[in-house]
Amino acid sequence: MSSNTTVRTTRRHTLRVAAAALIAAAGLSLTACSGSDTAGPKPAAAASSASAGAQGSDAKVDTKAGKATSPSHTQKLVDGSTAEIYELGEQHYRLKIVNDGSELATMEAKEGDAGLDANGMYVVLTAGGEVRSWMGGEHQGPGTFKLAGGWTAKVTKVGELHYRAKIYGFEGEAATIEANKKDAGLDANGSSIVLSSGGVISSHD
């Protein structure tokens, strides 16, 4: 992977923090910054609203098993595969990546965001059920790197397949992402960030 790649732009949303699933997600903590929105990027509390596709969905849920039996919505990912998003509860979603009828990966976001490095395609599943995918923008940690949306990440190696990224905005430290044998993801005011357990960090705005 290259250490510097152009980052594409997309929409803005609220900051949420996450951990989750399969080859995805690790725990992370958030420290709120003070100041006005015009001062630069700053975190906000994890939002409870679901994406438009997830709201009012007619997905069937097996309450006895505690599993959604059909996706609330689907979405094409940047590599051409399909994301099936299942609403399991409030701020609780599961994403399955499917291609030609084969399930490639699963990730889960519960009361926080989840991230995945899927062989160079980066995916963030937010606590509201939104999905973002992109390619490129990789940096190999340890090190300090500029990210999309004006953020800066300081990536340190904690142990084998265990990396930590402190995310800084104009007002100082905003969040910490931890990838411990699983990838981690973060929605930082609409800028998506994935940290892999191998120390690769990528972002997309």
Side-chain angles (χ1 to χ4, degrees):
M1 295 186 185
S2 63
S3 62
N4 288 288
T5 311
T6 304
V7 181
R8 297 183 295 278
T9 60
T10 183
R11 62 195 186 287
R12 295 267 167 188
H13 292 284
T14 310
L15 170 68
R16 310 171 191 98
V17 188
L22 197 56
I23 40 178
L28 47 94
S29 61
L30 171 68
T31 304
C33 292
S34 60
S36 67
D37 291 338
T38 57
K42 67 182 182 66
S48 60
S49 62
S51 67
Q55 291 175 343
S57 70
D58 57 359
K60 297 175 182 174
V61 178
D62 180 351
T63 54
K64 186 175 285 187
K67 296 180 180 179
T69 58
S70 63
S72 60
H73 60 290
T74 61
Q75 181 176 322
K76 281 292 184 182
L77 301 179
V78 70
D79 71 344
S81 59
T82 299
E84 296 181 350
I85 300 93
Y86 297 79
E87 185 175 2
L88 306 182
E90 186 176 356
Q91 292 194 5
H92 188 186
Y93 289 85
R94 179 178 295 128
L95 181 151
K96 292 182 181 180
I97 299 176
V98 178
N99 190 41
D100 291 333
S102 298
E103 184 178 320
L104 305 180
T106 301
M107 56 195 295
E108 193 164 322
K110 185 176 183 181
E111 298 179 354
D113 309 321
L116 174 66
D117 176 0
N119 294 325
M121 177 179 71
Y122 302 95
V123 183
V124 165
L125 172 64
T126 74
E130 296 178 55
V131 179
R132 301 167 196 159
S133 66
W134 70 95
M135 291 181 175
E138 303 99 338
H139 303 281
Q140 176 64 61
T144 300
F145 311 105
K146 291 291 186 183
L147 302 181
W151 301 99
T152 298
K154 183 177 181 181
V155 180
T156 56
K157 184 174 183 178
V158 181
E160 188 66 25
L161 296 178
H162 188 180
Y163 283 81
R164 181 178 297 132
K166 289 186 178 294
I167 309 300
Y168 296 88
F170 298 145
E171 298 176 4
E173 185 178 337
T176 298
I177 313 175
E178 191 126 356
N180 187 1
K181 297 182 175 63
K182 292 181 180 180
D183 304 335
L186 179 66
D187 170 19
N189 283 358
S191 297
S192 301
I193 303 170
V194 168
L195 174 66
S196 79
S197 60
V200 174
I201 192 166
S202 179
S203 62
H204 185 68
D205 193 10

